[in-house]
Each structure stands twice: as C-alpha cells, then as structure tokens.
Amino acid sequence: MKKFKLALLLLLATLTLTVLAPTTASAARQAPTIPSALRGTWYLWNKKNHQRLKINRHSFRLSTYRHGKYKTVVAVNGNKWLSKSTSHLTISAPSSKHGFWYLGQNSGGASLHLKRTTHKHHVAIARQIDVVDDDVNTSAHTVYYTHKK
C-alpha cells in the first residue's frame, strides 16, 4: 500500500509540474520590418533613364527604365520567395555616424544603403553607392530618390 501511495504521489507531482510549467514562445521566423521613414515609392531621374524604388513593410523592389522602357528589376521580400530572382530580406540598423540603413538579400545580391533626408528642399531618400576601382580604391557617392514622378 505504501508503494501505491508513493507512485500515486509521484504521478500527481509530475502532472502538476507539467501543467503549471511555463511554455516557451514559438521560435518561428519573423519577417524583418523596414522602418516607416523609408517606405513609399521613390524616383530617381537621369537624362536617359530612371529608377523606381518601391519600399513596403517587408519588401523592396528596384525597377530600372531606359528611354521609357522597362529594363531590369531587383525584388526582395522578407516573407517569401517572389520569383527566381528574389531572395529573403536582410536589414541592418545604422551602424555608422552617417545613419544609412542597410537593406539587402541573404544571398548577397542587391544591397541598398538608404537614409531619409532632404534634397533641394524636398523630402528624399539618399542612397550611398560604393564603387571599387581595381579591387583597391573604394569611393562612395550619393544619389537621391524623390517622391515626384
């Protein structure tokens, strides 16, 4: 009878601890969120071509047009694969004193260094472009995307 009471007590203690133990949060992958200051549709105009940069909450799409005709596109989505040319989104907060956000692909394809600013008294997105010459010299220049078409 003592063994039966001991076994019953151990079973009751195990069930009580199992029911009352805190559950851990799900480790599901969360899609990275692009800051709201960078979101929207932004345009860059040159003499011969223009670019459209469309930034949503979890994705961005950079389209290039030459002489008014669609030329290339880079699309990156944080939630899912859109097509063969897209991949998952990577975001890094500004780590430099200049305050540029990094948006890019896991696979290392497209990478954008963006910051919201003003250009010629208009709200704009500054994009820093790094140019490597002969794998030694690195220089950077900035282009500005605005809201107006």
Side-chain angles (χ1 to χ4, degrees):
M1 188 70 176
K2 286 184 180 181
K3 288 183 181 180
F4 178 71
K5 286 183 181 179
L6 182 62
L8 187 60
L9 184 62
L10 286 173
L11 180 64
L12 183 62
T14 305
L15 289 174
T16 304
L17 289 175
T18 304
V19 171
L20 297 178
T23 58
T24 58
S26 169
R29 179 184 173 273
Q30 295 291 323
T33 303
I34 298 174
S36 59
L38 300 178
R39 295 182 207 160
T41 304
W42 305 90
Y43 298 93
L44 170 68
W45 288 91
N46 293 334
K47 292 180 180 180
K48 295 181 181 179
N49 59 12
H50 75 276
Q51 292 182 346
R52 184 180 74 187
L53 176 62
K54 187 171 184 178
I55 303 174
N56 295 329
R57 186 173 183 194
H58 298 294
S59 65
F60 72 86
R61 183 179 202 93
L62 180 62
S63 304
T64 303
Y65 299 86
R66 185 163 177 85
H67 297 295
K69 294 182 181 178
Y70 176 77
K71 189 174 179 186
T72 59
V73 67
V74 174
V76 180
N77 191 323
N79 289 329
K80 59 185 176 183
W81 291 82
L82 289 176
S83 67
K84 292 179 182 177
S85 65
T86 63
S87 120
H88 292 291
L89 178 65
T90 303
I91 298 175
S92 296
S95 59
S96 69
K97 63 181 179 180
H98 302 293
F100 284 90
W101 285 82
Y102 170 81
L103 304 177
Q105 292 175 315
N106 294 22
S107 59
S111 64
L112 302 173
H113 296 274
L114 303 174
K115 169 173 86 168
R116 188 177 183 121
T117 184
T118 57
H119 180 65
K120 296 183 180 179
H121 307 291
H122 295 286
V123 176
I125 293 287
R127 177 181 176 197
Q128 187 177 25
I129 300 173
D130 296 326
V131 178
V132 179
D133 299 325
D134 299 328
D135 296 329
V136 177
N137 299 330
T138 303
S139 62
H141 67 278
T142 304
V143 293
Y144 296 92
Y145 292 83
T146 59
H147 270 302
K148 295 186 177 184
K149 266 190 164 181

